[in-house]
Structure formats: structure tokens, C-alpha cells
Amino acid sequence: MTLVSIFTAVAVLGLSVAGTPTFDITTDLDMSSPYGTTGQTILGGWPIAEVYHLDIVNRNITPDGFTRQAVLAGGTFPGPLIKGFKGDNFRIHVHNYLTNSTMNKTTTVHWHGIDQHRSNWADGVAMVTQCPISSGQSFLYNFNVHEQTGTYWYHSHLGLQYCDGLRGPLVLYDPHDPHGHLYDYDNETTVITLSDWYHLPAAQIQPPFIPDSILINGLGRIDNTSDPLTVLHVQKGRRYRFRLISMACDPNFTFSIDNHTVTIIEADGENTQALPGIDSIQIWAAQRYSFVLEANQPVDNYWIRALVEAGDTTPPGLAILRYEGADEKDPETNQTTPVNPLSEVNLHPLTDPAAPPFNPDDGDKAIELNVTFNDGLFFVNNVSYASPPVPVLLQILNGSRNPFELLPKGSVYGVPPNKDVEISIPGGVLAPITHPIHLHGHSFSVIRSAGENKTNVINPVRRDVVNIGTTGDNVTIRFRTDNVGPWILHCHIDFHLNTGFAIVMAEDINGTAELVHPSESWDWLCPIYDSLPAIDH
């Protein structure tokens, strides 16, 4: 699309450029958002900036036959697809219209998996990188994605709020995708989100946190009803890149499509060597995979399944894969036992496969995180994380340089710049529960996966969320400290984060003030938040 045709479309439709919530332009790649919340500046056919307005609202929804009020991005569940390209700059205006204090009236938005190089302040973690956005206020997240591509998502990072609905997909397309020859379609219709859903506000749910339903692209069933389900349409003989995102607050899912196998090509924003023949994918909270599905079966309807752990009483998540020409009805296909489920150790990076080298004599740092559970709280190395009264980043910018004095005391770990860090996390706490661990600001090499007793530094998978397994496991990751700022590391079961399962990696404390420059509006978040009565938090 040329600049002339863009402005002609704007004039005809009565839209304004990159400034209103209704601005939407379709590029020649047909990757436009169907939600009408995106504004793009385009030069030579490629976006150079992505401008979004994201309204955070309370609204009633009925995703599984039961109506409840939720916290929603853009008024929908999941929230609108946010998308761009490698190298894009994002300007996302978040407007807080929340009124229900049961699910928090304040909010933040975390852009999960985005490294936020030199923009730590835009990471969206309440009381680590910012104060929350107060009701009636707006905040601009302004960040560049640099060389990142792949599948990501966004969610609230305040209390349990994302369990109540504030979750949505985020995709960074690569115009020169090295896997592009493997598929024919990759657009907003090939994004798949998996979510647990609860009929009570998250703050009122008691352990063991059993979901009432599992939603695929925001729809599910709580019993044998005919409530609408998500339908993914394919044409026989075509190849589709599906982007699978677990937006779970708690459970992991076993995902499969009846009568089909897939080829894995991405894990958590990192291209992997193509791994074909996979017939089921166990995916933990916050993990993502891209897979290629070839529509090579007879024209029909096929169940898409997202199963929760054995013994859970939650009905399975269901959606429909419908071939062009098939009748519009529920599938009659049967579930079969997987013969080639995905194993993390079989995933290898497409490029630069080796893990970072590790040399303690050169200043590289080894950290072991022992996790325990007592009296309703998690403890990491004997300290239960609790949000500090002042964001960690603000403490550093105000002159605090000693990690042992930063709040919350005992939960902040100082790490030097441009060194390699190796973190080992023994499994087994609250077994048989398994915990997905996420590090902000980095992808890491998983040199020892759950279920393994040996390490791999030659070609271990890179990702940003790893399952640490159960008793006897000692999952180990490595990453390079090349991204200044405080970054939270936490269990992505949100109920566990909310009860202390987290630490903060304060990376290059001395260089933070020189390299991280928050916006002027960031400076106002804390004074406004601090002036609120407790009920408005």
C-alpha cells in the first residue's frame, strides 16, 4: 500500500493518523488487527511505528455460558491482538477506566517476553519498574523491540488481576522469516490462546485454584452444552503457522489436534530448528510455541483439545479445526494416546545454539534458588517476596546502590554487567505441582531441563519460561547480563507469585541511572498512586 492510498483511505473513512483508538490500516501482508485499535505509520510498505490505544475496563462477559464481570483490555477477552515487525517502536497508550475494587482499580501492563533494552521502566511490573496506573489516568508505554520477532503476549502485572481477564496476544512478524518457506499463512486468524477461567474474582478463590473452564481464544464450555466454540478454518493442502500462547494463571495444558501432527519452529520468541511429527504439546503458563500444521486430512471437523492435569475436575478446553467444505457441526473425532509428544530437550536454537560460556574466575556468577512453602507463603532462599512501597527502579534512580539495602530486603540480587549468570532451581516444592519460572528482560539457555540428569551447553533451547519439574529435578539456566535494570524472576502461576515466589535481579545497579531514562509521565505515577485511599488501589 502506498502512502497516497493510505491517506486516501484515511480521508474516506474519517480516521485520524496514529492518534485515535479506531485507526486501522491493512498492509499488503494482510496482517491487520480485526479489533480496530491500532494506528500505524508506514513507509515503503513496512511499519516504522506502532501506536495503540488500550482501554482497560470492567465489563460483563459470558465466555463459557456463565456471566461475570472481568478486567478487560479493549473490552474483550482475550484482549486485542497487538502486532508489529522486527525493529518497530511501540507507543501503547493505556487508559485506566476500572471501577471494581474487588479486582483492583489500579493496573499495569507487562509486555511478556519483550526484552525492553534501555527501557526497563516500560516493563510493566508493579513496584519493580513502576507504580500502578491509577483509575482515571493514562500512561504511555514507549519501547523498541529491536531484533526480536516471534510470539509474545501482554497481561496485568499487579496482584492477581490478569487472572480476572487482562490478557492478550502480541506478535512480532519477521519479513524475512527463516522458516517462511514452511508455511502459507500466518496472520491474526492463526493465533491460538489458552486460558483458565474462574467464575469468582481471583482474590476470592481458595486453593487448590481449580478453574471452572478452559477457554481457547476466549470461548469454552462448562458442560455438554452447545455454547459457541472457537473455529479455526483451514483449506485442504495448505500449510498454516499457528502461534500457541498459554495465558494461564495456574494450570499447564496438554494441547493437541485430533488426527494431525505438527512441526515446532519457535519457543518463546526464539526460532528453533524445525521439529516435525509432534502430536501433543505440554505447555506451561506463559509459554508460547509456533507450529506448522499441514491441512492434509480428509475434509471434516476435528477437535482441538487443551487438557488440564490428571485429577483436575475442570472440563477440557475445546475448539474446532474446520476444513473448507466441511459441515458446520461439532467434530466426531476421538482423542488418541500421543506417540510423539513434545520434549523440551529435543528443541534446539536455529542460530547461535551454544549456551553462554561460564567462568567464575572471570566474574561469572552462579546462583542457587531453594524454594520452600510454609504457612501459605513461598520462600526463595528463606525470603518471601512482598512488593515494596517504592518501585525497585525508583529506589535505584534515587541513589540506592547496595542490593542488600534495596527493598524488598533479601529479595534483590545484584548482578554485574556483561557477565554470564547460571541459575539452578531445584524442583519439588508442593510436589506434584510443577512451576513455570519466567525471567524478565532476557531469554535464557536451558542447560538442564526438568526430567534430565545431565546438562547440555552445545545446543540447549532458548526461551523465557521454563518448567522446573518436581522432586529430584534441578533445572539450570544461563543468560548474559547485557540488559541494565531490575528484572523480576518469578513463578508464572500467578497465585504463587502473589504469595511470595519471586526475586528481583538488579542488573548493573551502578549503570542503571545512566542508561535507563523513564518518561516524564512515569515520574507522576507514584505521586498519584500514593495519594489514593486504599480502596482505590
Side-chain angles (χ1 to χ4, degrees):
M1 181 177 288
T2 66
L3 286 174
V4 172
S5 62
I6 288 171
F7 287 113
T8 299
V10 168
V12 169
L13 297 175
L15 305 174
S16 61
V17 177
T20 73
T22 57
F23 185 69
D24 185 54
I25 292 177
T26 302
T27 71
D28 293 334
L29 293 185
D30 194 26
M31 292 178 178
S32 64
S33 167
Y35 301 96
T37 58
T38 167
Q40 302 175 350
T41 302
I42 300 182
L43 183 63
W46 293 107
I48 59 175
E50 299 286 349
V51 180
Y52 286 81
H53 289 260
L54 199 62
D55 293 348
I56 311 301
V57 300
N58 293 123
R59 184 170 297 172
N60 287 339
I61 59 172
T62 312
D64 60 1
F66 180 89
T67 300
R68 61 156 289 192
Q69 189 168 94
V71 180
L72 304 176
T76 65
F77 184 84
L81 172 66
I82 292 178
K83 59 188 174 58
F85 294 85
K86 178 168 68 174
D88 275 358
N89 194 82
F90 283 77
R91 295 172 57 85
I92 304 175
H93 301 260
V94 173
H95 309 286
N96 182 354
Y97 295 105
L98 297 175
T99 58
N100 188 330
S101 58
T102 302
M103 299 178 287
N104 293 100
K105 292 174 66 175
T106 57
T107 193
T108 69
V109 181
H110 167 57
W111 318 99
H112 184 109
I114 302 303
D115 288 345
Q116 300 291 357
H117 278 283
R118 300 291 182 93
S119 53
N120 173 268
W121 62 271
D123 194 43
V125 184
M127 310 319 289
V128 175
T129 62
Q130 69 170 91
C131 280
I133 307 165
S134 301
S135 180
Q137 301 294 318
S138 298
F139 181 65
L140 171 63
Y141 291 94
N142 187 354
F143 56 89
N144 193 286
V145 297
H146 302 287
E147 295 299 305
Q148 288 189 271
T149 61
T151 308
Y152 304 88
W153 63 300
Y154 61 91
H155 58 85
S156 170
H157 219 298
L158 172 69
L160 296 170
Q161 195 176 62
Y162 97 70
C163 303
D164 288 314
L166 206 174
R167 337 176 202 177
L170 191 161
V171 175
L172 301 178
Y173 295 98
D174 185 351
H176 305 290
D177 182 7
H179 287 308
H181 64 287
L182 297 177
Y183 57 85
D184 304 306
Y185 295 100
D186 176 28
N187 54 36
E188 69 274 4
T189 69
T190 61
V191 175
I192 303 173
T193 64
L194 309 178
S195 306
D196 47 345
W197 192 245
Y198 305 84
H199 293 167
L200 288 174
Q204 298 176 7
I205 301 172
Q206 299 299 313
F209 311 116
I210 302 298
D212 291 290
S213 63
I214 304 302
L215 310 181
I216 300 180
N217 285 4
L219 294 174
R221 292 174 179 171
I222 53 178
D223 49 34
N224 295 319
T225 65
S226 58
D227 290 329
L229 293 174
T230 294
V231 179
L232 301 178
H233 296 272
V234 296
Q235 182 180 356
K236 187 174 175 63
R238 299 291 188 174
R239 304 166 302 168
Y240 297 81
R241 176 178 182 160
F242 284 102
R243 298 173 181 268
L244 181 67
I245 306 171
S246 173
M247 297 181 178
C249 274
D250 187 344
N252 64 75
F253 305 112
T254 299
F255 175 89
S256 63
I257 302 175
D258 285 0
N259 296 20
H260 291 76
T261 63
V262 302
T263 298
I264 308 294
I265 60 172
E266 176 214 346
D268 295 358
E270 297 282 348
N271 287 321
T272 65
Q273 298 175 24
L275 183 64
I278 301 301
D279 58 4
S280 74
I281 300 169
Q282 190 170 16
I283 182 169
W284 274 263
Q287 290 185 329
R288 295 91 64 208
Y289 292 103
S290 279
F291 61 82
V292 176
L293 177 141
E294 184 176 355
N296 57 9
Q297 296 299 301
V299 171
D300 206 341
N301 296 288
Y302 299 87
W303 282 122
I304 300 170
R305 304 176 189 269
L307 307 180
V308 291
E309 295 96 332
D312 196 326
T313 58
T314 307
L318 294 173
I320 300 169
L321 183 75
R322 177 167 294 155
Y323 278 64
E324 183 179 290
D327 294 336
E328 294 186 6
K329 64 177 185 177
D330 280 2
E332 298 177 356
T333 55
N334 296 314
Q335 182 183 359
T336 58
T337 301
V339 296
N340 191 27
L342 176 64
S343 175
E344 184 176 74
V345 295
N346 292 331
L347 292 173
H348 306 295
L350 184 64
T351 57
D352 302 322
F358 186 75
N359 184 4
D361 294 335
D362 191 37
D364 293 344
K365 188 166 185 175
I367 301 173
E368 181 170 344
L369 302 178
N370 289 300
V371 184
T372 54
F373 182 80
N374 184 44
D375 198 24
L377 295 175
F378 287 89
F379 294 80
V380 181
N381 292 346
N382 299 315
V383 179
S384 184
Y385 179 86
S387 288
V390 178
V392 179
L393 177 59
L394 182 56
Q395 296 174 54
I396 295 172
L397 295 180
N398 282 344
S400 297
R401 296 290 184 266
N402 187 338
F404 299 106
E405 295 178 356
L406 288 167
L407 301 176
K409 283 192 174 182
S411 291
V412 181
Y413 291 65
V415 289
N418 302 313
K419 298 296 179 183
D420 296 317
V421 174
E422 181 174 292
I423 300 177
S424 60
I425 313 175
V429 62
L430 281 187
I433 294 174
T434 54
H435 304 272
I437 301 300
H438 173 46
L439 173 62
H440 290 220
H442 295 275
S443 290
F444 46 73
S445 295
V446 184
I447 67 170
R448 180 175 172 181
S449 292
E452 295 295 309
N453 57 14
K454 59 183 179 180
T455 60
N456 172 16
V457 298
I458 305 301
N459 58 358
V461 67
R462 281 194 302 268
R463 62 186 323 153
D464 59 51
V465 181
V466 65
N467 156 43
I468 63 168
T470 186
T471 305
D473 283 317
N474 189 23
V475 168
T476 306
I477 64 174
R478 283 185 191 171
F479 66 97
R480 183 77 174 169
T481 58
D482 55 5
N483 195 10
V484 63
W487 305 105
I488 194 169
L489 180 149
H490 62 92
C491 179
H492 222 291
I493 295 174
D494 217 35
F495 300 106
H496 295 178
L497 168 60
N498 197 52
T499 48
F501 198 158
I503 64 169
V504 173
M505 309 294 290
E507 193 168 321
D508 189 9
I509 293 178
N510 291 329
T512 298
E514 289 73 29
L515 297 174
V516 178
H517 303 288
S519 65
E520 184 177 351
S521 61
W522 183 90
D523 294 336
W524 285 101
L525 288 173
C526 288
I528 296 173
Y529 176 78
D530 291 341
S531 69
L532 296 176
I535 194 173
D536 288 331
H537 283 191

